């Protein structure tokens, strides 16, 4: 190690060696304050918005539907919903699809989910 490099290293670490010169540590920020800003900086803000459908599902569609149908995937604006029985599949597909889509879009945004697909499983 050269003397110049050694002097530079000591200058950089000196505040930590001397507690009187060291700055007091900042308190850590809560994750809920840090994550949205970080996602925005990384360009993943839309993905964070889309993921809300998985967490808010029972509030969006109601507990009755949530017991029999769960979102399992979201790709290119298409939300795939797995349904536990063929009768529920027909009921949701025929009578509730449009209303579910409207509720989802109202909760997380129109651009996040554009259409719904259903499957057994």
């Amino acid at each position: 190690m050269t003397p110049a490099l050694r002097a530079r290293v000591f200058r950089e670490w000196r505040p930590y060696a001397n507690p009187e010169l060291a700055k007091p540590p900042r308190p850590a920020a809560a994750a809920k304050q840090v994550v949205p800003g970080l996602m925005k900086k990384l360009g993943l803000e839309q993905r964070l918005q889309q993921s809300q459908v998985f967490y808010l599902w029972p509030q969006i569609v109601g507990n009755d539907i949530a017991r029999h149908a769960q979102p399992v995937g979201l790709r290119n604006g298409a939300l795939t919903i797995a349904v536990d029985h063929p009768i529920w599949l027909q009921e949701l597909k025929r009578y509730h699809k449009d209303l579910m889509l409207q509720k989802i879009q109202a909760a997380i945004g129109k651009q996040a989910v554009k259409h719904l697909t259903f499957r057994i499983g």
Side-chain angles (χ1 to χ4, degrees), residues 75-112:
R75 175 174 277 167
N76 298 327
L79 179 65
T80 303
I81 300 168
V83 183
D84 65 355
H85 196 274
I87 292 175
W88 273 100
L89 177 80
Q90 287 301 324
E91 177 77 18
L92 295 176
K93 208 173 186 181
R94 275 191 187 171
Y95 303 112
H96 299 282
K97 184 177 181 177
D98 294 333
L99 182 59
M100 286 173 66
L101 182 60
Q102 288 174 1
K103 287 181 175 183
I104 292 167
Q105 289 176 339
I108 64 168
K110 291 190 179 214
Q111 296 302 316

